[in-house]
């Protein structure tokens, strides 16, 4: 591609709305342009990179034996009513009405459509296992679209769905997808980590997310320093905490004045008591029923774990006004479990606590010296909190948990028979009996990968593409278009690289070399060749690696082989995972 005739609208400054490196750089390098909130046009360079991700995903899915299909983006509401999700999915679902007043949605995911296909086309155990995938535009009316295409409303996803005769079959398919995902992300040159994920309201039996490690990631993942345990914070558990080394001696129950001290920090400072000796009392509503949840002062409630422990579908943390209503007008900020009439559930870390501090249910007062059994009944204990750095690993005795940030780029899920049962898929087994196939589903955020790759690979000057995803592997900078020797060298190199199947961008613009260098840094092609200047007078071109290192010179005649060898060694180093 020739820079002079292409749409590569680079920007000196990043638009103010861009808060992450990838968003800024995708706008500045002219890869994408916004059309509306969370919807973007992919410009030529961005699209090239997107297509590369697609090609890698397609090759690996084909190699794993999945069959590519393309399902409609627009789906009839009836199908979603059959699965029960029309009402449950809420506002993320973009709903449409056609000229006959029939309801549709723009697919945020395709379980219903693939299951409908399966019930029509699958008849016999001989057809199973079978596995379908597609690469397609999805729409989710995200409450907070942000970070550019990272969390768009319209985005490109690879979604796949497998059908097996039984759970043992699904185990094999799931394992194979786990391995396939590893290969895909390694080939993309990403540093990633598979983690255990919450199976949530879909109620499947196992799930893993694949996270690209990046400080700007929206997710927190916990991993063990010693074994291979890793989980999303939503799901991560801690091993049992050692009992506090300084267990306080028994203390009398006292009500103390804490005027205006509502937060844990304020109370801890005011009473001169360590924050871990305080107990936070939280009022929540689970499926409309109020509960009191207790967690240690230095811990945070994990609503997903709490919902599971209470056995409720939906957990809501009510507004202060509603809390006052639910507690019969008790002062928010001074709530506590002593004397409450609400059902109480406490985090397991509190099991060994005694002589703790909590709200007194009286304005401007707290209780100190609170002791289980003596002052209040021992409640039910369950894992209700987010793990924190340095918690013991739940799997091995030796390890401690570390927390990192990640960008979710893939998600695999054992669905079980939820959809196949709801939509009535049956196949005949070897004995001629009707059986319900067991499903798995497997998603990859194809467009999100482009942003995640940039998030992980950039510097102050621009993008540093991994070779596998670079719009072009090589950029040739023609130092001076009016110098016939430079022009001829650049054109020959351009044609030769093309002939070898190397993606190459030729900056043939009538611009100063300084500007070309700046844009080349911003665009981030892995290798850059300068045709011109003193080197060319000596029959050489200068080659630079965008990742860094000293430039090297190669005789014009050896430039192509030198560049190809460089690309291969970069590619090999990047696909280590
Ligand atoms: P998230 O927690 O980030 O909202 P999700 O759990 O809703 O993701 P899935 O339903 O598992 O996502 O979708 C499969 C993949 O699609 C995700 O792993 C992610 O990479 C991608 N994806 C999901 N939502 C978006 C979005 N709004 N923009 C871009 N990619 C997305
Ligand atoms: Mg989501």
């Amino acid at each position: 591609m020739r820079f002079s005739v292409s749409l590569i609208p680079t920007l000196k400054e990043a638009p103010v709305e861009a808060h992450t490196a990838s968003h800024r750089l995708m706008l500045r390098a002219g890869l994408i342009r916004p059309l509306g909130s969370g919807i973007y046009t992919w410009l030529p360079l961005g699209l090239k990179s997107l297509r590369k991700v697609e090609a890698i995903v397609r090759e690996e899915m084909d190699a794993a034996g999945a069959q590519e299909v393309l399902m409609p983006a627009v789906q009839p509401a009836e199908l979603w009513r059959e699965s029960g999700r029309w009402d449950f999915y809420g506002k993320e679902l973009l709903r449409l009405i056609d000229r006959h007043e029939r309801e549709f949605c723009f697919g945020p995911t395709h379980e219903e459509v693939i299951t409908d296909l399966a019930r029509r086309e699958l008849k016999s155990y001989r057809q199973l296992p079978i596995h379908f995938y597609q690469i397609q535009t999805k729409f989710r009316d995200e409450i907070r679209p942000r970070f550019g295409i990272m969390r768009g409303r319209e985005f490109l996803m690879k979604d796949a769905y497998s059908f097996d005769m039984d759970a043992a079959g699904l185990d094999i398919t799931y394992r194979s997808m786990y391995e396939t995902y590893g290969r895909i992300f390694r080939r993309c040159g990403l540093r990633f980590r598979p983690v255990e994920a919450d199976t949530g309201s879909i109620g499947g039996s196992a799930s893993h997310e694949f996270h690209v490690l990046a400080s700007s990631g929206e997710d927190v993942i916990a991993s063990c320093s010693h074994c291979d345990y890793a989980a999303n914070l939503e799901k991560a558990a801690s091993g049992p905490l050692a009992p506090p080394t300084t267990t306080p001696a028994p203390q009398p129950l006292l009500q103390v004045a804490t005027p205006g001290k509502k937060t844990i920090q304020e109370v801890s400072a005011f009473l001169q008591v360590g924050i871990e000796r305080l107990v936070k009392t939280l009022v929540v509503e689970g499926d409309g029923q109020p509960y009191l949840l207790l967690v240690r002062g230095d811990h945070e409630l994990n609503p997903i774990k709490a919902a599971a422990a209470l056995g409720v579908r939906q957990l809501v943390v009510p507004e202060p006004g509603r809390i006052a209503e639910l507690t019969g007008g008790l002062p928010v900020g001074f709530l506590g479990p002593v004397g409450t009439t609400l059902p109480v559930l406490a985090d397991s870390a509190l099991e060994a606590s005694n002589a703790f501090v909590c709200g007194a249910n009286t304005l401007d007062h707290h209780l100190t010296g609170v002791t289980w059994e003596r002052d209040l009944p021992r409640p039910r204990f369950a894992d209700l909190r987010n793990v924190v750095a340095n918690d013991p690993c739940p799997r091995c005795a030796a390890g401690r948990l570390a927390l990192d940030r990640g960008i979710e780029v893939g998600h695999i899920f054992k669905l079980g028979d939820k959809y196949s049962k709801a939509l009535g898929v049956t196949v005949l087994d070897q004995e001629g009996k009707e059986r319900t196939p067991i499903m798995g589903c497997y998603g990859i955020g194809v467009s999100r990968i482009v942003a995640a790759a940039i998030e992980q690979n950039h510097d102050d000057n621009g993008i540093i593409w991994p070779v596998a995803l670079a719009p072009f592997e090589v950029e040739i900078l023609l130092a001076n278009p009016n110098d016939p020797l430079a022009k001829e060298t650049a054109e020959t190199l351009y044609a030769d690289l093309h002939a070898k199947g190397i993606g190459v961008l030729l900056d043939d613009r009538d611009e100063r070399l300084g500007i070309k260098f700046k844009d080349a840094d911003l665009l981030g092609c892995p290798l850059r060749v300068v045709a011109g200047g003193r080197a060319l007078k000596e029959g050489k071109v200068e080659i630079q690696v965008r990742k860094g290192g000293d430039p090297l010179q190669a005789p014009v005649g050896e430039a192509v082989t030198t560049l190809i060898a460089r690309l291969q060694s970069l590619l090999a180093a990047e696909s280590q995972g």
Side-chain angles (χ1 to χ4, degrees):
M1 195 156 131
R2 288 167 191 278
F3 208 134
S4 60
V5 293
S6 306
L7 181 65
I8 310 176
T10 57
L11 305 172
K12 278 208 185 66
E13 304 290 334
V16 287
E17 78 266 19
H19 298 299
T20 53
S22 60
H23 191 190
R24 273 196 299 275
L25 290 170
M26 290 189 80
L27 292 168
R28 282 194 56 211
L31 307 186
I32 54 167
R33 285 293 180 261
L35 180 64
S37 166
I39 48 180
Y40 288 85
T41 298
W42 289 80
L43 301 187
L45 243 55
L47 186 62
K48 279 194 178 292
S49 182
L50 186 68
R51 293 283 183 247
K52 290 201 164 178
V53 178
E54 256 186 84
I56 292 172
V57 170
R58 190 171 271 121
E59 270 177 44
E60 293 296 337
M61 290 304 291
D62 288 343
Q67 304 176 42
E68 186 168 5
V69 293
L70 185 57
M71 292 179 260
V74 174
Q75 310 178 9
E78 287 83 71
L79 265 182
W80 284 69
R81 291 209 169 90
E82 274 191 76
S83 71
R85 285 209 289 187
W86 185 256
D87 296 320
F88 191 65
Y89 214 90
K91 291 197 167 167
E92 254 189 41
L93 193 63
L94 179 66
R95 295 158 209 257
L96 316 164
I97 293 175
D98 76 0
R99 65 169 76 203
H100 306 294
E101 299 291 316
R102 287 193 208 105
E103 291 175 298
F104 292 84
C105 64
F106 194 108
T109 178
H110 278 67
E111 282 82 5
E112 281 80 1
V113 180
I114 198 74
T115 312
D116 178 63
L117 183 76
R119 73 177 160 189
R120 293 168 196 276
E121 307 300 332
L122 301 182
K123 308 269 186 272
S124 156
Y125 73 93
R126 286 196 191 85
Q127 293 170 283
L128 268 48
I130 195 160
H131 190 175
F132 302 104
Y133 80 96
Q134 64 172 348
I135 297 177
Q136 196 217 28
T137 297
K138 300 282 190 272
F139 194 96
R140 294 182 181 179
D141 201 351
E142 297 275 354
I143 186 163
R144 279 186 74 198
R146 55 190 173 152
F147 310 146
I149 52 120
M150 187 87 87
R151 183 168 296 284
R153 294 198 296 165
E154 187 179 300
F155 59 98
L156 194 63
M157 194 202 283
K158 184 283 295 179
D159 47 329
Y161 307 89
S162 66
F163 296 84
D164 275 277
M165 280 306 283
D166 50 30
L170 174 59
D171 283 349
I172 296 170
T173 310
Y174 187 84
R175 210 358 81 182
S176 129
M177 271 303 104
Y178 184 95
E179 306 293 338
T180 297
Y181 274 40
R183 273 195 294 279
I184 289 171
F185 300 127
R186 269 192 294 280
R187 278 187 63 184
C188 288
L190 299 167
R191 292 183 300 286
F192 68 97
R193 188 170 295 157
V195 307
E196 291 176 17
D198 178 56
T199 47
S201 55
I202 307 184
S205 56
S207 169
H208 286 85
E209 291 166 356
F210 288 74
H211 285 266
V212 164
L213 302 171
S215 57
S216 60
E218 287 185 283
D219 286 41
V220 176
I221 54 184
S223 41
C224 176
S225 56
H226 188 70
C227 72
D228 61 3
Y229 177 79
N232 191 311
L233 186 66
E234 290 177 348
K235 151 114 186 179
S238 156
L241 296 183
T245 42
T246 53
T247 306
Q251 292 171 16
L253 178 69
L254 290 179
Q255 177 164 319
V256 297
T258 48
K261 311 295 179 208
K262 289 187 178 178
T263 68
I264 286 286
Q265 286 74 13
E266 286 167 350
V267 177
S268 159
F270 184 74
L271 295 178
Q272 300 278 299
V273 173
I275 205 161
E276 72 291 345
R277 300 255 324 276
L278 270 55
V279 168
K280 279 193 241 187
T281 305
L282 305 146
V283 180
V284 297
E285 268 184 291
D287 294 347
Q289 157 84 35
Y291 297 91
L292 271 197
L293 303 182
L294 308 180
V295 293
R296 223 167 72 177
D298 56 336
H299 289 155
E300 291 296 329
L301 179 75
N302 177 320
I304 291 173
K305 289 181 179 179
L310 292 170
V312 298
R313 229 164 110 103
Q314 225 169 14
L315 191 92
V316 182
V317 181
E319 298 296 312
R322 176 80 183 138
I323 293 178
E325 233 170 77
L326 292 170
T327 57
L330 293 179
V332 178
F334 300 93
L335 295 177
V338 177
T340 186
T341 53
L342 297 181
V344 180
L345 185 66
D347 179 59
S348 312
L350 288 172
E351 230 172 322
S353 295
N354 72 339
F356 56 83
V357 176
C358 62
N361 291 325
T362 303
L363 185 65
D364 290 339
H365 285 81
H366 279 77
L367 298 177
T368 65
V370 185
T371 302
W372 298 126
E373 279 162 28
R374 187 192 68 188
D375 305 323
L376 74 171
R378 227 169 224 289
R380 181 156 80 83
F381 292 97
D383 180 12
L384 299 182
R385 69 177 177 102
N386 287 333
V387 297
V388 294
N390 243 1
D391 271 347
C393 172
R395 187 162 300 159
C396 74
R400 295 265 156 190
L401 297 180
L403 302 184
D404 291 289
R405 291 208 155 260
I407 300 166
E408 182 195 321
V409 288
H411 193 176
I412 60 176
F413 207 104
K414 287 188 186 172
L415 278 177
D417 62 5
K418 178 182 155 104
Y419 294 95
S420 42
K421 216 169 174 175
L423 272 71
V425 189
T426 54
V427 295
L428 296 180
D429 69 10
Q430 269 161 303
E431 275 84 52
K433 277 217 305 272
E434 284 196 341
R435 297 260 298 272
T436 304
I438 307 295
M439 293 173 64
C441 70
Y442 318 92
I444 288 187
V446 175
S447 44
R448 186 180 278 182
I449 285 179
V450 177
I454 295 173
E455 212 53 59
Q456 234 179 27
N457 301 283
H458 67 271
D459 62 15
D460 290 345
N461 300 321
I463 303 170
I464 307 176
W465 284 109
V467 174
L469 305 189
F472 297 97
E473 287 100 322
V474 178
E475 178 171 357
I476 303 170
L477 307 190
L478 170 54
N480 174 4
N482 302 316
D483 170 355
L485 179 62
K487 193 164 163 51
E488 195 204 308
T489 307
E491 290 287 348
T492 310
L493 200 51
Y494 181 60
D496 290 351
L497 285 167
H498 247 302
K500 293 276 185 198
I502 307 289
V504 51
L505 175 67
L506 171 61
D507 193 346
D508 55 349
R509 292 175 299 170
D510 197 4
E511 288 282 6
R512 283 187 296 112
L513 187 57
I515 289 179
K516 294 187 181 184
F517 270 124
K518 269 208 149 38
D519 274 346
D521 275 344
L522 179 58
L523 299 185
C525 297
L527 296 181
R528 173 192 312 170
V529 196
V530 184
R534 201 167 344 126
L536 191 58
K537 291 210 177 78
E538 294 165 14
K540 291 178 179 165
V541 289
E542 189 173 278
I543 297 175
Q544 278 177 342
V545 181
R546 177 63 181 88
K547 268 210 169 93
D550 292 332
L552 61 116
Q553 296 199 337
V556 172
E558 288 168 24
V560 172
T561 43
T562 309
L563 288 165
I564 291 176
R566 264 299 152 123
L567 283 174
Q568 278 165 351
S569 66
L570 280 174
L571 200 55
E574 285 164 6
S575 57
Q576 299 303 310

